[in-house]
Amino acid sequence: MIKQDLGNNEWSMRMAGTAECVKAKVPGSVYGDYLAAGKMEDPFWKDNEDAACALMENDFEYQTTFTVDDDILKENRIALHFYGLDTIADVFLNGEKLGHTENMHREWEYEVKDKLKDKNELKVYFYSPNKYIARRHLEDERFRAGDAMPGFNKIRKAHCMFGWDWGAHLPDAGIWRPVYLFGYSEARVDSVLVLQEHEKDAVNLKIKPEIKTYGVSEDELVQDIIIITPDGKTIECRDLPVKEKEIRIDNPILWWPNGYGSQDLYKISYVIRHGEKELDAWTKRIGLRTITVSREPLDIGGEEFATTVNGLKIFSMGADYIPEDHLLGRVTPETTKKLLASAKWANHNSIRVWGGGYYPDDWFYDICDELGLLVWQDFMFACNLYDLDEEFEENIKIEFDENIKRLRHHASLAIFSGNNEIEEMTKYAGAFFKPTLTRDYIIMFERIIKNKVKELAPQTFYWPSSPSSGGSFDKPTDNERGDQHYWEVWHGNKPFSEYRKYLFRYCSEFGFQSFPAEKTVDTFTDNPKDKNIFSYIMERHQRNGFANGKIMNYMQQTYLYPSDFNTLIYASQLLQADGIRYGVEHFRRNRGVCMGSIVWQLNDCWPVASWASIDYAGRYKALHYYEKRFFAPIMISCEEEGMMNSGKFLNNYPKDFNKSIRLAVANETGRSEKLTVHWAVRNADASVVKGESIEIETKPYSTTWLDKVDLSDIKVFDQYISYDVCRGDEVLSQGTVNLSFPKYFHYEDPKLTLSVEGRKITVTADKYAKSVEILNENEDIILSDNYFDMNAGSRTVEVESGDIKGLKVRSVYDIH
């Protein structure tokens, strides 16, 4: 098959009913083209979102002219292929309407051989998404998710474009993925299914081609299969009849997720020929591995939910991924690789693609294959209810076919999940709106999609919803089965200590908000009066209701009141990081029962206060550095008893509470390790009061608990506990804890200083320094570690990116 990229042509875009055109980029969008032409303001600036949203009350038309390449004209058949149209559109070629589209998650193709001329005019007319959903919502008013515009569930478009509790109302439109002409004759490759059967020291590949023929039979064609191994060897099978072929690979090099082994990939090329003429080819990379989810019963009750790779039950560690930008044209292989590399940097091995966005581009999964990030892939349904009429069913079935086939070969693909949070919603709300919605839910997510995955990707694990205990509305939020979304901390206003009351099997969503860096705030306002978290602009860039006040409520429980805006941002990020640390460390201490910790969320799609660990500008929040530490292969943590988890308010009587620590070392490596654990009670100046060194041996993929230590005599306002685990002189993991609330602890001025030598920064403290932050003037420096605790002395970190201009340092002592 021969391809011609029509994105290379000159395109124009205009608002319907107007004559003025602007230069357009394909792939791209209305917002992107208007911004490039200077015809609209930055939609992220202040409250420009409103004007940008209102712009989508209009229709828009894209237009180009093109000539067809001679090589394509020689072919018997020519197709016009759109990889993505967003969303309600009509397609015209030379004045003739080719078709109507109503799904951005699908591809669209039209046979055009007999419609082409020497010079051709192609138009795509996009209808207003705002008017469409408003009209459909009036037909059937329905529950909507938080800040989202009513009717968003009535259109197969990324739901979050209509607003979410972290996203703006920016329902962009356009030709958002490439558009090509395809020239072909006797046959083309639709897809190839590659199945794996693993034996000891061998893998048998079953290669099942899916071919479309035109005027010839498959018996007249031959196929070539070429496999290039990770070490450069070639396996060739040529001149074969077109049918399923089994190829044995001896001594296979297995693919593993990050932290468990290497990410070796095999390149497979499938070629179909008629005689000596190559008709079409399919080339992909695969990893030799098995992936499933174990749901074996547990001795303590319930069942496990453990991602199992090559027979090994791994502890899934990572974050939830949302669309990277409200303007999809800004998302590139480079932006995605930078983001996902940051996830691997923080020791992630898993990533969940949330169901309210879109199915990411091919490069997303290619990068996950390379980095070893296991993908939990939601289908694109979230937080709403759907009527399954015949037209909708036909539409989504094609969507499922195309995306399952597109993604199924990827080494990183671990789980297909039907939706985000709809099973629990339907159980508790479906009949309230309309009884048939419960029926439609079961048909969509427990029959149609389940059967599609079984047919098209039979070796990929399917899960009906997230969260779920397995489907059929059987306690979908059960804490002892399946996956959980735990939001009592944050939405339920429960304290961080609440995490320790539960042994979730796999927590696929939990999170806590913080504010982005001040330099990121500067990207949406230049008015100093806006730098108040309760200002109009700051609350426009906070989409979770009264969440800025919620942050302050939690801050009141933890820190002294910050004296200025920048300090408040710092304190909010520490609050977020400590809250999530409290949960993850508990989950990892209980490996074997809990086998997954997926933090909500990795990234932002615009500058906003949110649950992200990396803000929209790419700046790491404190949480991202904490993730690197609490997702480390060997990690020490402390299960303390103190004021925070005593269940008592300050002036409750009696005022006593338990004071103790119990340390645990999580080992997520395949090695037994002989290590040394140290702990010490220290004064606020970091001087040691008492302590202990303990030799331990940790087993692979396990947690080693140490004995509980009673500290009833500790002075909780003046003394704290430090702890670490070492391999010889190498400190593998460390931390500190105090048994009062941090706001009550009598921190002494650590007199922090910095010195720089090349790309290394050394920080020195005279006394105990909690959560030491090092930033440069632009607040975009990335260090090998940051927001760490110091027991006085010096610590050196490396600058991984960013400059060292205007360095500054602070600690919790400075929150006042």
Side-chain angles (χ1 to χ4, degrees):
M1 184 164 65
I2 303 171
K3 299 181 180 181
Q4 180 179 342
D5 185 356
L6 296 185
N8 294 330
N9 287 66
E10 289 189 4
W11 287 80
S12 64
M13 184 269 287
R14 68 180 182 88
M15 183 187 297
T18 67
E20 183 182 16
C21 294
V22 299
K23 183 178 180 181
K25 180 181 178 183
V26 173
S29 73
V30 170
Y31 288 159
D33 293 334
Y34 268 7
L35 281 168
K39 298 297 183 180
M40 70 177 289
E41 300 293 332
D42 178 1
F44 300 165
W45 181 256
K46 295 192 176 182
D47 61 354
N48 283 351
E49 165 199 359
D50 291 343
C53 184
L55 187 65
M56 302 315 297
E57 296 288 331
N58 299 285
D59 300 344
F60 293 89
E61 183 179 78
Y62 280 76
Q63 185 270 340
T64 190
T65 57
F66 66 92
T67 57
V68 183
D69 291 348
D70 291 342
D71 288 346
I72 289 182
L73 287 172
K74 294 175 183 177
E75 299 292 335
N76 295 337
R77 305 175 74 93
I78 301 175
L80 174 64
H81 190 98
F82 294 91
Y83 281 95
L85 294 171
D86 179 16
T87 293
I88 311 297
D90 290 331
V91 179
F92 299 87
L93 179 64
N94 297 324
E96 180 181 348
K97 182 177 177 180
L98 299 181
H100 179 73
T101 75
E102 291 198 358
N103 191 332
M104 79 173 289
H105 306 303
R106 280 179 51 184
E107 300 176 18
W108 302 89
E109 185 170 293
Y110 307 98
E111 291 286 341
V112 296
K113 174 77 173 181
D114 60 348
K115 306 178 191 303
L116 293 168
K117 302 178 180 179
D118 292 340
K119 187 174 183 180
N120 301 277
E121 181 184 61
L122 176 61
K123 291 184 179 181
V124 184
Y125 188 97
F126 290 95
Y127 295 91
S128 163
N130 295 10
K131 289 181 178 178
Y132 179 87
I133 65 168
R135 185 182 75 250
R136 294 296 308 276
H137 183 68
L138 289 176
E139 295 171 4
D140 180 16
E141 295 188 14
R142 187 71 53 80
F143 173 87
R144 61 191 179 98
D147 192 46
M149 297 163 65
F152 75 86
N153 63 311
K154 293 293 189 177
I155 186 172
R156 292 307 294 149
K157 177 178 173 70
H159 287 348
C160 62
M161 287 182 164
F162 296 101
W164 217 259
D165 56 6
W166 36 259
H169 301 120
L170 293 171
D172 205 355
I175 305 173
W176 76 290
R177 280 184 167 155
V179 53
Y180 278 87
L181 286 177
F182 292 163
Y184 52 98
S185 293
E186 294 94 337
R188 60 190 281 191
V189 181
D190 179 55
S191 185
V192 178
L193 174 62
V194 181
L195 300 177
Q196 305 181 23
E197 292 183 356
H198 286 242
E199 305 172 359
K200 184 179 180 181
D201 301 324
V203 173
N204 293 312
L205 296 181
K206 289 186 176 180
I207 299 174
K208 298 183 175 184
E210 297 168 13
I211 307 298
K212 293 179 180 178
T213 59
Y214 307 93
V216 297
S217 70
E218 288 189 0
D219 293 340
E220 300 175 63
L221 307 175
V222 295
Q223 63 185 15
D224 300 331
I225 302 171
I226 302 97
I227 300 175
I228 300 176
T229 68
D231 53 2
K233 298 176 182 176
T234 300
I235 301 169
E236 295 188 5
C237 301
R238 295 186 179 273
D239 298 313
L240 304 171
V242 176
K243 62 180 181 179
E244 177 182 328
K245 172 64 176 175
E246 186 168 314
I247 299 176
R248 181 181 176 88
I249 298 180
D250 293 313
N251 302 311
I253 305 171
L254 298 184
W255 182 95
W256 290 92
N258 179 38
Y260 296 86
S262 58
Q263 290 76 53
D264 293 293
L265 297 169
Y266 287 71
K267 181 180 178 181
I268 295 184
S269 293
Y270 176 88
V271 179
I272 189 168
R273 290 186 288 113
H274 189 194
E276 294 303 312
K277 181 183 178 182
E278 180 179 315
L279 302 179
D280 202 2
W282 178 95
T283 300
K284 304 293 181 184
R285 295 182 302 171
I286 68 167
L288 302 185
R289 87 292 184 267
T290 62
I291 302 180
T292 189
V293 173
S294 174
R295 298 177 61 199
E296 294 297 315
L298 292 173
D299 291 340
I300 66 168
E303 60 187 35
E304 68 183 2
F305 195 87
T307 307
T308 305
V309 183
N310 300 327
L312 176 67
K313 295 175 183 178
I314 73 160
F315 192 102
S316 298
M317 300 181 285
D320 294 279
Y321 169 90
I322 65 170
E324 294 171 44
D325 205 300
H326 267 303
L327 277 67
L328 299 185
R330 292 175 174 173
V331 181
T332 67
E334 291 73 29
T335 63
T336 301
K337 186 161 190 176
K338 181 179 179 181
L339 178 64
L340 295 181
S342 294
K344 180 174 181 176
W345 177 92
N347 290 311
H348 294 198
N349 60 41
S350 301
I351 190 163
R352 173 174 170 252
V353 180
W354 171 75
Y358 62 91
Y359 306 94
D361 293 276
D362 291 343
W363 66 69
F364 174 91
Y365 304 94
D366 289 337
I367 295 166
C368 288
D369 293 345
E370 295 165 2
L371 298 180
L373 297 175
L374 292 167
V375 176
W376 174 311
Q377 176 67 57
D378 283 358
F379 286 88
M380 291 299 119
F381 302 90
C383 300
N384 219 305
L385 310 174
Y386 305 85
D387 284 307
L388 189 65
D389 58 33
E390 290 184 6
E391 182 180 356
F392 185 70
E393 180 174 349
E394 180 184 3
N395 192 357
I396 61 174
K397 279 183 174 178
I398 298 171
E399 171 189 326
F400 303 152
D401 285 347
E402 292 177 351
N403 285 288
I404 293 170
K405 288 180 179 181
R406 181 168 70 91
L407 306 184
R408 64 187 177 184
H409 68 278
H410 282 281
S412 56
L413 181 62
I415 295 172
F416 273 128
S417 178
N419 64 75
N420 176 77
E421 296 181 350
I422 302 178
E423 183 183 359
E424 61 173 320
M425 176 183 295
T426 307
K427 178 179 176 66
Y428 299 114
F432 173 79
F433 293 105
K434 193 163 55 174
T436 56
L437 292 171
T438 303
R439 175 204 64 194
D440 290 350
Y441 175 89
I442 291 291
I443 294 172
M444 283 180 62
F445 300 109
E446 299 191 18
R447 182 173 66 82
I448 294 176
I449 303 182
K450 181 179 180 180
N451 289 344
K452 285 290 186 183
V453 172
K454 184 177 181 180
E455 172 195 356
L456 301 175
Q459 294 183 329
T460 303
F461 182 84
Y462 179 71
W463 193 239
S465 183
S466 181
S468 179
S469 63
S472 302
F473 307 117
D474 179 16
K475 298 180 180 178
T477 57
D478 193 340
N479 294 327
E480 296 185 351
R481 293 178 297 159
D483 72 310
Q484 293 79 30
H485 292 191
Y486 183 70
W487 285 106
E488 286 303 301
V489 176
W490 182 257
H491 288 305
N493 296 309
K494 295 292 180 66
F496 300 154
S497 55
E498 201 75 6
Y499 287 119
R500 292 188 184 171
K501 295 182 179 179
Y502 302 98
L503 293 175
F504 301 126
R505 298 336 189 218
Y506 187 115
C507 205
S508 50
E509 271 194 30
F510 65 107
F512 195 93
Q513 276 202 6
S514 70
F515 298 107
E518 185 171 5
K519 289 294 185 181
T520 300
V521 173
D522 289 341
T523 66
F524 62 80
T525 184
D526 58 358
N527 187 344
K529 291 183 178 180
D530 291 335
K531 291 186 177 181
N532 181 309
I533 64 168
F534 300 123
S535 72
Y536 170 72
I537 294 301
M538 285 299 293
E539 292 197 335
R540 286 303 304 265
H541 289 255
Q542 163 60 271
R543 307 320 285 253
N544 184 219
F546 303 104
N548 287 359
K550 188 186 292 284
I551 291 172
M552 295 307 296
N553 176 55
Y554 274 96
M555 193 172 296
Q556 173 269 331
Q557 301 171 36
T558 311
Y559 294 116
L560 296 177
Y561 193 85
S563 57
D564 59 74
F565 184 72
N566 190 271
T567 304
L568 190 151
I569 290 173
Y570 169 58
S572 80
Q573 293 193 11
L574 295 186
L575 198 64
Q576 176 191 38
D578 275 322
I580 301 305
R581 175 191 60 80
Y582 213 85
V584 173
E585 289 182 350
H586 170 68
F587 302 148
R588 288 198 65 187
R589 283 194 293 268
N590 289 280
R591 190 196 200 280
V593 177
C594 179
M595 291 299 289
S597 182
I598 309 299
V599 178
W600 185 269
Q601 65 205 67
L602 175 63
N603 59 297
D604 282 327
C605 59
W606 74 309
V608 65
S610 81
W611 298 269
S613 66
I614 303 174
D615 75 22
Y616 175 72
R619 294 182 171 95
Y620 289 7
K621 295 182 181 179
L623 173 58
H624 207 67
Y625 286 97
Y626 274 50
E627 287 179 354
K628 185 180 183 184
R629 295 195 291 268
F630 60 57
F631 285 151
I634 294 178
M635 187 270 296
I636 189 170
S637 65
C638 179
E639 185 178 79
E640 83 288 350
E641 290 181 298
M643 187 177 289
M644 189 167 99
N645 50 29
S646 68
K648 293 185 175 183
F649 294 108
L650 177 64
N651 294 311
N652 280 7
Y653 190 86
K655 297 181 180 180
D656 59 322
F657 51 88
N658 294 332
K659 307 176 191 70
S660 71
I661 61 168
R662 191 179 182 197
L663 301 174
V665 177
N667 180 4
E668 199 59 26
T669 76
R671 307 179 303 275
S672 291
E673 291 266 12
K674 292 184 177 180
L675 305 171
T676 305
V677 171
H678 309 94
W679 66 265
V681 174
R682 297 173 181 263
N683 294 315
D685 64 2
S687 60
V688 175
V689 177
K690 63 179 180 179
E692 190 176 6
S693 297
I694 306 163
E695 303 297 323
I696 66 168
E697 182 173 358
T698 65
K699 302 299 182 184
Y701 312 114
S702 69
T703 296
T704 302
W705 286 86
L706 282 70
D707 292 337
K708 183 176 179 179
V709 179
D710 179 74
L711 294 174
S712 55
D713 59 345
I714 192 171
K715 300 174 183 177
V716 297
F717 300 127
D718 300 290
Q719 295 176 335
Y720 70 100
I721 302 102
S722 65
Y723 50 89
D724 62 51
V725 60
C726 300
R727 182 192 296 123
D729 294 331
E730 180 187 5
V731 178
L732 302 177
S733 177
Q734 59 186 315
T736 71
V737 64
N738 60 63
L739 303 187
S740 75
F741 284 104
K743 64 181 179 180
Y744 297 143
F745 190 79
H746 298 156
Y747 293 100
E748 298 182 12
D749 185 356
K751 294 183 171 57
L752 296 172
T753 60
L754 297 175
S755 62
V756 178
E757 184 176 344
R759 298 290 285 176
K760 293 184 178 181
I761 301 172
T762 298
V763 56
T764 301
D766 287 351
K767 305 177 189 300
Y768 174 43
K770 181 74 173 171
S771 303
V772 174
E773 176 198 68
I774 305 169
L775 287 182
N776 61 354
E777 185 176 297
N778 201 40
E779 300 183 345
D780 61 353
I781 195 168
I782 296 177
L783 304 172
S784 56
D785 200 6
N786 209 347
Y787 301 94
F788 47 78
D789 300 345
M790 294 182 66
N791 303 308
S794 296
R795 185 163 178 183
T796 299
V797 294
E798 295 187 7
V799 179
E800 299 190 0
S801 71
D803 61 43
I804 55 174
K805 181 181 178 182
L807 290 178
K808 51 192 175 183
V809 62
R810 61 182 162 186
S811 71
V812 171
Y813 172 80
D814 298 295
I815 301 176
H816 54 71

